[in-house]
Amino acid sequence: MNSKKITWLVVVRIVFALFLLALGIWLFTVGKMYSSIFIGLLFLLVIIDLFKLLYDYFNQIDKVILSMLYDDYTIDLKRTSHDHTYNHLVDLFEKNKEKEANRASETLIFNQLLNGIDSGILILKGEHVDREVILVNQYFKNYFDLPNLTNWRFLKPFIPAFCQVIEERNFTEFKTTLDIQVNKKERQTFVVQTSLSKIHGETYYIILLDSIQRVIDSKENEAWISIMKIISHELMNSLAPIHALAYNIQEISKQEDISEEDKEDIQTSVSTIINRSNHLQEFVERYRKLTMLPTPQKKKENLAQVVDQVLQNFLLLAKSKGIDLKTSIPEGIDFLVDVSQFEQVLINLMTNSLYAVENAEKKEIAIASYLQQNRLYIELSDTGTLVDTEIVKKIFLPFYTTRKNGAGIGLTLSKSIMEAHKGYLFYQQKEEKNVFVMVFVL
């Protein structure tokens, strides 16, 4: 039934109903009571038929609209041969049905990707403390043994320290480290990073949580592979010529008469073997220095005094090269440290920074510190050329260096010293500066 046909059927019934109404009133006025009652019954039947006609038509349309409104695309709709309006509605239904199927597929893939990531992801919706949890990925659930959660307040009993930090920051964007007790056992350090997004008037709060230990384990595996490549490269560079020269000496020694020229070859070969052996010895000595780090003998020290004592060694050199040294260390910060080992860390980092700013337009090195989340942060920054992204991945590897005369153990040794103190050392770029951050857990 098309729209024109339904319109004509409605018009005909209305006209016929009006005619019967007028006829019934006339018959009533002329005293033909029974005839007027009969016409009145016909009038009611026409009205009922008109109501049924409109009800069936609009109920069919309403069924399609409600299905789309509540995302129920299970009903099977068929087009008619005459009703173009209804057919257009069916086309709209099918189009929305296809979009919903695509959206469901994309959501499934999206969830699979998020659940496959080795980092915790939590997404909240809303702008009040009573926020809706719309996604908790599998890593987050498994790590903290969480059930399915629908609201922020249900999460708080499971990881209260984590929730407290988020609420103290008033659900703003930030990045920090946090100690969280896992499954009522050991406390672990996590990196927490949050971001805010507004989509179609709704506020979404995204929280990323990553275990520092997991990152360290992953990086250590990559580091060992790189170290083995470096060691293999160094050994082959020395052993290959030693082997060749030793074989040459062996062949010469088999001769009954050794000429002066052969004697010179033997002397050159022996000299080269000694040089390569010395190089190998130096290489092994550097490696031994990394692996034989003594246990820190920690004592209570004042941070400002320790930093000032180290900087005294660099003042004349910095002044001669026009380098500005700045410190921002609050007084009264005491911490447990093996002062000789920590001084070695500062010396290594200062040496790198002096090299980095040597040819910079603005030559500035700064040391600052602050306390946060039961941690002492010490930042050493310089205005040298920013370290390339590819190089950042390798700077803590043993024997890796970009300096012509560098040994490639300074940063590795510094990182090992910080880890021996139960802290850590990392590199970042902040305000167009190179920044090495030393962290002590207080």
Side-chain angles (χ1 to χ4, degrees), residues 302-305 308 327-334 369 371:
N302 181 266
L303 176 61
Q305 291 178 3
D308 184 64
T327 59
S328 179
I329 309 291
E331 296 292 336
I333 296 182
D334 296 328
S369 70
L371 297 171

Side-chain angles (χ1 to χ4, degrees), residues 417-435:
I417 290 173
M418 290 302 301
E419 289 173 353
H421 281 76
K422 307 301 181 184
Y424 45 95
L425 169 68
F426 62 92
Y427 168 85
Q428 65 181 17
Q429 293 175 0
K430 186 189 297 185
E431 298 176 356
E432 296 300 313
K433 294 180 180 179
N434 298 299
V435 182

Side-chain angles (χ1 to χ4, degrees), residues 404-422:
K404 185 177 180 180
N405 298 317
I409 65 170
L411 287 177
T412 309
L413 183 60
S414 299
K415 188 171 185 291
S416 297
I417 290 173
M418 290 302 301
E419 289 173 353
H421 281 76
K422 307 301 181 184

Side-chain angles (χ1 to χ4, degrees), residues 318-319 321-326 357 362-366:
K319 186 177 180 180
K321 294 187 176 184
I323 300 171
D324 185 16
L325 296 183
K326 296 183 177 180
V357 302
K362 181 181 180 182
K363 301 179 181 182
E364 181 181 293
I365 299 174

Side-chain angles (χ1 to χ4, degrees), residues 5-19:
K5 185 176 181 181
I6 189 70
T7 302
W8 280 109
L9 288 174
V10 170
V11 170
V12 168
R13 280 168 171 75
I14 291 174
V15 171
F16 186 54
L18 291 174
F19 170 75

Side-chain angles (χ1 to χ4, degrees), residues 122 124 131 133 136 140-141 144 146-147 149-163 166 207:
L122 176 66
L124 308 175
R131 295 166 188 257
V133 175
V136 185
F140 202 107
K141 287 182 180 179
F144 299 105
L146 299 176
L149 301 168
T150 58
N151 196 280
W152 171 256
R153 67 176 182 273
F154 299 145
L155 182 66
K156 293 164 76 172
F158 292 95
I159 39 179
F162 165 77
C163 295
I166 300 294
I207 304 171

